[in-house]
Amino acid sequence: MNVQSIPPAQRQRRHIAAIFALTAVLLIALAAGGLWPLLKRRDSARATLARVDEERAVFHARFCRPPLAVRIRREATLQRTLEAEWKSLRRDVDTFGDRSPLSEGLPKDEEGRIDFKVALFEARTRLQELAGEKGVTLPADLGIPEAIATDEHAETRLWQLATTVKLVEQAIAAHVQSIETIHSLPPVRRTLREQPPLILEEYPVRLVLQCSFPILNALTDALQEPGSFFTLRHILAERTQRDGAAPLTVDVVYGGMLFRENVREAE
């Protein structure tokens, strides 16, 4: 179609539409050219903000703690809880919570010192009588030497005797068939606290028993009870006869626990 044949009004409308189209294209181009840097700056700002948040979280975890008064109350409450748990545990595992069963009425020499030989003899006699009443066979001695060496403390030997007596009494009460061997082992000392001093002394005793498996279980359970607690350091049980009804031969080491305060490790 010849341009001259297009009516003037229509030509004007086309010119206006072309102008608007060109303007729109120019605006879009300008917008695109200016928007891209803005988008890049936005992404960079977001990354910076994420790094700042991470650093703030680390700082808050390390330095932003509750007020000192709150932390002191919290730690004091925790300390009271731990002390209560410790007292309960110590009471449960202290074999001599009521002190030594030999502490009263022990024979003494002319200078007021305990005569260990007499104490050992009387303890052995009493245990033999108790075992006879229950039908339990005991060895001739309690596995504790009568003589005390010059470098030994008489008190240590007395605690060994007290541990042996208490353990053998428990074995007799459990109705073991026989106790073939009793041997008191050297005590073990551990420092639990320096100031004020708190020492844990353990007095191990080795027994060789003849008993059934249910009686061995009953004895072990009884020795885990508060007031009669003994550690189980070693146990070997075997049936030496083919007869299923024959008793077990049990080689076991139990330890009596004694807590001593204001006593130094070197003593």
Side-chain angles (χ1 to χ4, degrees):
M1 179 182 293
N2 191 350
V3 175
Q4 297 295 326
S5 64
I6 299 174
Q10 189 176 357
R11 287 201 302 270
Q12 290 178 357
R13 286 195 296 269
R14 288 185 176 182
H15 290 163
I16 293 172
I19 292 171
F20 275 114
L22 180 60
T23 302
V25 171
L26 291 175
L27 289 174
I28 292 173
L30 289 174
L35 184 60
W36 180 251
L38 291 177
L39 293 175
K40 292 183 63 176
R41 290 174 61 186
R42 183 201 62 182
D43 293 340
S44 176
R46 287 179 175 176
T48 302
L49 183 60
R51 289 195 301 269
V52 170
D53 285 340
E54 292 178 0
E55 294 175 0
R56 180 189 59 81
V58 173
F59 179 85
H60 186 274
R62 182 176 299 179
F63 300 106
C64 296
R65 299 179 179 178
L68 181 59
V70 174
R71 284 184 286 153
I72 290 176
R73 288 196 299 269
R74 184 184 302 166
E75 296 300 324
T77 301
L78 178 60
Q79 181 179 359
R80 288 192 296 270
T81 301
L82 293 176
E83 286 178 350
E85 292 179 359
W86 163 247
K87 289 180 180 179
S88 177
L89 177 63
R90 174 176 168 177
R91 182 173 58 252
D92 290 344
V93 302
D94 191 347
T95 307
F96 300 99
D98 55 351
R99 298 300 89 189
S100 169
L102 303 176
S103 59
E104 299 295 334
L106 286 176
K108 296 179 172 57
D109 60 18
E110 295 179 354
E111 298 181 2
R113 293 175 300 185
I114 295 174
D115 191 328
F116 180 74
K117 289 185 179 180
V118 176
L120 179 60
F121 174 79
E122 291 187 353
R124 185 167 57 235
T125 301
R126 183 164 64 85
L127 289 176
Q128 289 285 0
E129 292 175 353
L130 181 61
E133 295 173 0
K134 301 292 185 179
V136 178
T137 304
L138 293 185
D141 63 80
L142 298 181
I144 302 177
E146 294 183 353
I148 300 177
T150 56
D151 59 344
E152 288 185 291
H153 293 285
E155 186 180 9
T156 298
R157 188 63 62 82
L158 285 170
W159 283 115
Q160 288 179 313
L161 178 57
T163 303
T164 301
V165 169
K166 195 164 188 175
L167 180 58
V168 172
E169 287 177 342
Q170 291 286 335
I172 293 173
H175 302 286
V176 300
Q177 182 173 321
S178 67
I179 302 178
E180 298 180 352
T181 301
I182 305 173
H183 181 58
S184 182
L185 302 175
V188 179
R189 306 186 83 195
R190 300 178 179 88
T191 300
L192 301 182
R193 187 179 62 212
E194 295 290 346
Q195 292 297 331
L198 176 61
I199 303 296
L200 171 61
E201 294 181 343
E202 184 179 2
Y203 294 90
V205 178
R206 176 175 175 257
L207 301 178
V208 178
L209 310 169
Q210 292 284 333
C211 65
S212 66
F213 185 73
I215 288 179
L216 176 60
N217 271 345
L219 174 60
T220 302
D221 289 342
L223 295 177
Q224 299 299 303
E225 294 295 326
S228 60
F229 180 88
F230 281 79
T231 60
L232 179 58
R233 298 177 61 90
H234 162 83
I235 185 169
L236 173 63
E238 58 181 346
R239 197 181 303 279
T240 57
Q241 303 179 30
R242 293 177 178 239
D243 183 4
L248 297 172
T249 299
V250 183
D251 190 328
V252 62
V253 177
Y254 292 109
M257 308 283 278
L258 172 66
F259 293 89
R260 307 186 66 183
E261 299 190 65
N262 300 319
V263 177
R264 299 186 182 279
E265 179 70 30
E267 292 181 1

